[in-house]
Amino acid sequence: MTDASSNPAPSAKGKLARDLALYTIARLGLVVLVAAVIVGVSKLVGVEVPLLVAAIFAVIIALPLSLFLFAKLRTRVNVQIAAVDEQRRSDRDDLRSKLRGDDSK
């Protein structure tokens, strides 16, 4: 019967994992897109840019871009991290209370 209080935790963790994976994929996709644009523009101009150099510049360019482009998703991940952390803190405090013998439930 004490498992009912821990039921929301897997759901919150599942949402966090899903949104964190989505955020990571979105950021990696942005890096790939920016690298492709760098390589494409360099070929149009007639300059050969190595893929590694394009990838490094893409990471540098995509970092601030992702802060603006994916702000809602990042905020959602932060809120879910806080919720999971609060659930973990509550579970820990409950366990400590039970170990002390202060179980009033």
Side-chain angles (χ1 to χ4, degrees):
M1 288 190 191
T2 59
D3 291 337
S5 65
S6 63
N7 245 356
S11 175
K13 288 180 183 179
K15 287 180 183 178
L16 174 61
R18 183 196 67 216
D19 285 343
L20 190 58
L22 183 62
Y23 183 61
T24 302
I25 290 169
R27 289 188 69 185
L28 288 174
L30 183 62
V31 169
V32 169
L33 179 69
V34 171
V37 168
I38 291 171
V39 169
V41 169
S42 70
K43 289 191 185 225
L44 286 175
V45 175
V47 178
E48 187 66 30
V49 176
L51 187 59
L52 182 60
V53 173
I56 290 170
F57 278 110
V59 168
I60 293 169
I61 293 168
L63 189 120
L65 271 178
S66 68
L67 291 176
F68 294 109
L69 294 176
F70 309 127
K72 289 181 183 178
L73 185 56
R74 183 174 39 87
T75 302
R76 200 165 65 197
V77 168
N78 287 341
V79 167
Q80 291 169 354
I81 287 172
V84 168
D85 190 42
E86 180 60 34
Q87 180 66 37
R88 187 178 303 134
R89 188 175 295 120
S90 172
D91 290 346
R92 185 188 64 220
D93 291 343
D94 187 41
L95 178 61
R96 284 183 179 171
S97 171
K98 288 178 183 177
L99 288 173
R100 282 191 307 259
D102 298 339
D103 190 24
S104 61
K105 292 182 181 179

